[in-house]
């Protein structure tokens, strides 16, 4: 998520005064936990994960000459970033190389893999969501010729994340209203897909919007479902390049909601020692694992964002009454 907004002087002031103000150091799921070791100590922003037969794959926003970075792990703790670009060729509607944000991959169910990603359309400053197909989880993914979601008049679409709900495919994404200016809507949209998991089936539905407690936006949706049928929608709020960025979540008993936001976020700066601006989280479908990014140097975004990997069994989440 690289919304081109300036770092807020107020936000930074609040961060450095946080011990005195008790803000944003709120009690939540991560409070009091030990800092996990850095899983990938390089710029690996907006990470997403996929488990295939015991091997973990992680994907991240463009860095260097790669459109989509890929890393692998056999134990979810030790990760190796490969030399491959999972999306070496962009679709004709997109400019590049680079400018690919927050890719995520699902296993479609027929031995194929679908990647969702955001890229910048030719002649536009916004981003739109596209999809690609591969025989292998590491790629290369071949992009589809048409965009999946592209509401440029509303600010574009970013942070796409797929979810297979009992054989029906969905993709969530953020309408990037803040790319047009402050106070614009930034709803999280839920789009049902056809059997190919790449073509929309009907119109999208807004399932979550930011409120006063979220700052100017919400973004980075990632959905999981418990064995009891409770959906947990993780998201980030506030600005990605400030220490106010966080990981929050909401829950519902139906995939389209209504979603109830948790009383406290999952993790904010200060909950875990050394972790500043946690966000861009992705969870495994059954809510067993999570990855997220945070400032690599522990103070600001200058050195990029490193990836952290955590076992969600260590955390207590709010849920329906």
């Amino acid at each position: 998520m690289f919304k081109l907004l300036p770092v807020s002087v107020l936000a930074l002031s609040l961060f450095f005064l946080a011990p005195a103000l008790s803000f944003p150091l709120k009690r939540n799921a991560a409070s009091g936990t030990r800092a996990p070791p850095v899983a990938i100590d390089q710029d690996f922003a907006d990470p997403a994960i996929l488990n295939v037969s015991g091997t973990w794959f992680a994907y991240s926003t463009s860095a260097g000459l790669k459109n989509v970075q890929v890393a692998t792990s056999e134990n979810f703790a030790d990760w190796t970033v490969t030399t491959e670009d999972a999306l070496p060729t962009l679709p004709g509607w997109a400019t590049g190389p680079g400018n690919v944000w927050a890719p995520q991959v699902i296993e479609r169910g027929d031995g194929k893999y679908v990647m969702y990603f955001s890229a910048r359309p030719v002649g536009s400053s916004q981003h739109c969501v596209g999809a690609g197909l591969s025989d292998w989880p590491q790629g290369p993914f071949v992009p589809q010729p048409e965009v999946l979601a592209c509401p440029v008049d509303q600010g574009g679409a970013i942070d796409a994340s797929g979810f297979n709900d009992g054989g029906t495919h969905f993709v969530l994404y953020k309408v990037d209203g803040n790319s047009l200016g402050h106070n614009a809507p930034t709803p999280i949209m839920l789009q049902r897909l056809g059997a190919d998991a790449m073509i929309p089936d009907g119109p999208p539905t807004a399932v979550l919007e930011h409120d006063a407690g979220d700052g100017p936006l919400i973004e980075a949706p990632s959905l999981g479902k418990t064995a009891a049928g409770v959906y947990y929608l993780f998201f980030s709020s506030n600005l990605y390049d400030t220490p106010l960025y966080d990981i929050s979540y909401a829950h519902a008993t139906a995939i389209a909601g209504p979603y109830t936001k948790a009383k406290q976020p999952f993790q904010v700066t200060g909950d875990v020692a050394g972790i500043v601006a946690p966000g861009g989280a992705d969870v495994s479908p059954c809510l067993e694992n999570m990855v997220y990014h945070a400032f690599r140097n522990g103070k600001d975004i200058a050195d990029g964002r490193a990836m952290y990997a955590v076992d969600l069994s260590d955390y207590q989440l709010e849920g329906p009454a």
Side-chain angles (χ1 to χ4, degrees), residues 1-8 12 15-16 42-46 61 219 239-245 276-279 293-306:
M1 284 68 67
F2 290 89
K3 279 60 67 182
L4 300 181
L5 296 172
V7 174
S8 167
L12 291 174
F15 169 63
F16 290 112
Q42 64 182 64
D43 192 15
F44 205 84
D46 311 316
T61 282
E219 60 189 15
L239 302 182
Y240 78 98
D241 56 357
T242 75
L244 294 183
Y245 206 53
V276 177
H293 69 233
F295 290 164
R296 185 167 173 248
N297 61 17
K299 60 181 181 178
D300 58 38
I301 202 169
D303 295 327
R305 290 163 287 180

Side-chain angles (χ1 to χ4, degrees), residues 45-109:
D46 311 316
I49 48 173
L50 175 69
N51 187 287
V52 180
S53 301
T55 296
W56 288 96
F57 295 84
Y59 312 86
S60 86
T61 282
S62 293
L65 299 177
K66 297 178 185 175
N67 290 319
V68 173
Q69 299 184 92
V70 188
T72 61
S73 174
E74 298 300 325
N75 58 11
F76 202 66
D78 304 301
W79 292 83
T80 301
V81 179
T82 74
T83 59
E84 301 171 38
D85 186 339
L87 187 67
T89 303
L90 296 180
W93 55 264
T95 61
N99 293 321
V100 176
W101 296 352
Q104 191 248 11
V105 175
I106 65 161
E107 188 172 6
R108 192 167 64 179

Side-chain angles (χ1 to χ4, degrees), residues 27-239:
R27 295 294 300 177
N28 53 62
S31 294
T33 59
R34 294 186 303 167
V38 178
I40 298 179
D41 190 15
Q42 64 182 64
D43 192 15
F44 205 84
D46 311 316
I49 48 173
L50 175 69
N51 187 287
V52 180
S53 301
T55 296
W56 288 96
F57 295 84
Y59 312 86
S60 86
T61 282
S62 293
L65 299 177
K66 297 178 185 175
N67 290 319
V68 173
Q69 299 184 92
V70 188
T72 61
S73 174
E74 298 300 325
N75 58 11
F76 202 66
D78 304 301
W79 292 83
T80 301
V81 179
T82 74
T83 59
E84 301 171 38
D85 186 339
L87 187 67
T89 303
L90 296 180
W93 55 264
T95 61
N99 293 321
V100 176
W101 296 352
Q104 191 248 11
V105 175
I106 65 161
E107 188 172 6
R108 192 167 64 179
D110 61 353
K112 304 285 187 180
Y113 299 87
V114 176
M115 173 183 283
Y116 304 103
F117 61 91
S118 301
R120 181 174 295 172
V122 176
S124 175
S125 61
Q126 271 76 46
H127 274 62
C128 293
V129 170
L133 189 66
S134 178
D135 292 329
W136 308 98
Q138 70 270 29
F141 286 83
V142 178
Q144 299 299 291
E146 303 296 329
V147 294
L148 198 162
C150 197
V152 291
D153 59 327
Q154 301 173 57
I158 64 171
D159 298 347
S161 180
F163 186 75
N164 182 345
D165 193 23
T168 301
H169 292 284
F170 295 86
V171 66
L172 298 107
Y173 60 87
K174 171 208 176 183
V175 174
D176 199 22
N178 56 289
S179 69
L180 301 177
H182 289 287
N183 302 316
T186 62
I188 301 300
M189 308 300 292
L190 177 72
Q191 173 66 67
R192 184 185 177 114
L193 301 170
D196 67 354
M198 296 185 290
I199 297 177
D201 180 10
T205 301
V207 294
L208 205 65
E209 178 55 280
H210 75 275
D211 56 34
D214 298 313
L217 59 87
I218 56 175
E219 60 189 15
S222 180
L223 189 63
K225 184 180 181 181
T226 70
V230 178
Y231 297 85
Y232 281 90
L233 176 56
F234 286 82
F235 61 94
S236 287
S237 61
N238 291 296
L239 302 182

